[in-house]
Amino acid sequence: MTLKSLSVLGLALIFSGCQMLSYQEPEGDNNATVVFSSDDYAVQPAICVPGKGFESTLISVAKKRAESQFANDMNTVLKKSETVEVKVSTERKRAKVGFIMQRKHNNGPRERCKVAAEFMISAGQQYHATFTKSGEHCGIAITDANNEPATDTVIVPWGCQ
């Protein structure tokens, strides 16, 4: 084994235990797909699970990096991808999804942001949730498979019942 392989394996072992409480996709056919992405920010997608609260997805959205095999390997080990696709139940006819962003600036305070949106959802359909940021304001855009705004999307406070 090479030093690089051992490093990647070591990181995998360190971070593998951190994903135990992540979102569990629903079984069956009464689901839609939500594809999470960002405007070049590293963020953690989350889905509202009624009775449990917001649950983070197993994989987080990675900031876009220069293409290299090492960067791809690191993202795989750290459970990051430029897009994260998950199934969401359509049982309640509405879905609530969000993003958590945390980043540290050089010698400055940690920047944190949570943003969520609720929208109408239909079984078998695909939706896109995109994290956006303008200045100090975080946002979320929800679109359907045709890149049209999702029906009845509302930005909501961070909370889940």
Side-chain angles (χ1 to χ4, degrees), residues 5-18 77-79:
S5 298
L6 288 172
S7 296
V8 172
L9 180 61
L11 286 172
L13 291 173
I14 290 169
F15 290 104
S16 64
C18 298
V77 167
L78 296 173
K79 297 187 185 245

Side-chain angles (χ1 to χ4, degrees), residues 29 32-33 43 73 79 85 100 103 109 133 148:
D29 296 330
T33 301
V43 290
D73 291 346
K79 297 187 185 245
E85 188 174 306
I100 302 167
R103 66 181 182 169
K133 190 163 183 323
E148 296 292 325

Side-chain angles (χ1 to χ4, degrees), residues 62-76:
K63 184 175 180 173
K64 293 178 179 126
R65 303 244 183 233
E67 288 297 317
S68 75
Q69 189 58 46
F70 180 74
N72 290 337
D73 291 346
M74 287 304 295
N75 279 339
T76 299

Side-chain angles (χ1 to χ4, degrees), residues 43-127:
V43 290
Q44 178 63 58
I47 295 99
C48 174
V49 179
K52 294 183 179 181
F54 272 105
E55 293 185 354
S56 297
T57 59
L58 179 63
I59 298 173
S60 61
V61 174
K63 184 175 180 173
K64 293 178 179 126
R65 303 244 183 233
E67 288 297 317
S68 75
Q69 189 58 46
F70 180 74
N72 290 337
D73 291 346
M74 287 304 295
N75 279 339
T76 299
V77 167
L78 296 173
K79 297 187 185 245
K80 295 183 178 202
S81 178
E82 287 185 23
T83 60
V84 176
E85 188 174 306
V86 296
K87 291 180 186 175
V88 177
S89 174
T90 59
E91 187 176 298
R92 293 180 166 231
K93 308 287 188 237
R94 295 189 66 75
K96 187 185 288 188
V97 300
F99 290 99
I100 302 167
M101 186 211 47
Q102 296 186 61
R103 66 181 182 169
K104 177 95 168 110
H105 296 285
N106 294 341
N107 299 324
R110 182 171 296 277
E111 183 179 7
R112 294 185 177 143
C113 173
K114 290 182 180 179
V115 61
E118 187 174 32
F119 57 100
M120 298 289 291
I121 193 166
S122 298
Q125 299 298 307
Q126 185 177 72
Y127 302 89

